[in-house]
Structures are given as structure tokens and as C-alpha cells.
Amino acid sequence: MDAADTVGAQDSLEKMLGHQLALAHRLTFEFANRAVDQRDPAVTARFMNVSITVDGRLSHQGLLTIQKLRSENTPKP
């Protein structure tokens, strides 16, 4: 809920995206924690790559989507 509040969700779609961003953030840390627990460096690298990808790509794309939605809904002069 905090993520939706933080992005200032203006409608249910933005709230949903905020919740998805929060979940992506949580998964980032879960995969990073799994990476730390591994003994095989290859498995550690895979988990860290997933962690970085989830955080970087999904978070960035989610925020861009919210920005795009807002710019499309902004009244034109």
C-alpha cells in the first residue's frame, strides 16, 4: 500500500502498478538473499542477475508506465 501512496496513485490502474512495483522490489531482495546463501558461484551469479533485472528493468518500466499514463490524461491547453 505504501508504494501506491508514494507514487501518488491517482486511479486504480496506478495503484495496481504501485503494488506491482512493491512486489518487484520485494522479489529483488528475495533473489539477492538466495544468492548469498549459495555455495556454487554460478548459481549465485544467476540469482544476482535475476535480482538486478527485476529491480532495474521492472521498476524502471513501471515508473515510465505511470508517467505515460499521467501525461496522456493531462488536459491539453
Side-chain angles (χ1 to χ4, degrees):
M1 295 297 198
D2 182 57
D5 291 339
T6 301
V7 297
Q10 298 173 357
D11 57 31
S12 58
L13 182 58
E14 287 185 13
K15 285 180 186 177
M16 181 182 70
L17 287 168
H19 295 175
Q20 288 176 344
L21 288 171
L23 178 59
H25 185 69
R26 180 176 175 195
L27 289 173
T28 296
F29 285 98
E30 285 186 18
F31 278 104
N33 286 331
R34 288 181 188 183
V36 171
D37 293 336
Q38 300 303 311
R39 295 193 187 276
D40 182 348
V43 175
T44 298
R46 284 189 208 120
F47 278 129
M48 287 306 296
N49 284 336
V50 170
S51 176
I52 292 165
T53 300
V54 166
D55 190 45
R57 289 185 186 162
L58 292 180
S59 296
H60 181 74
Q61 189 62 43
L63 292 171
L64 286 176
T65 301
I66 290 172
Q67 181 182 28
K68 182 178 178 182
L69 287 170
R70 288 181 181 172
S71 68
E72 289 174 356
N73 292 326
T74 302
K76 307 293 187 258

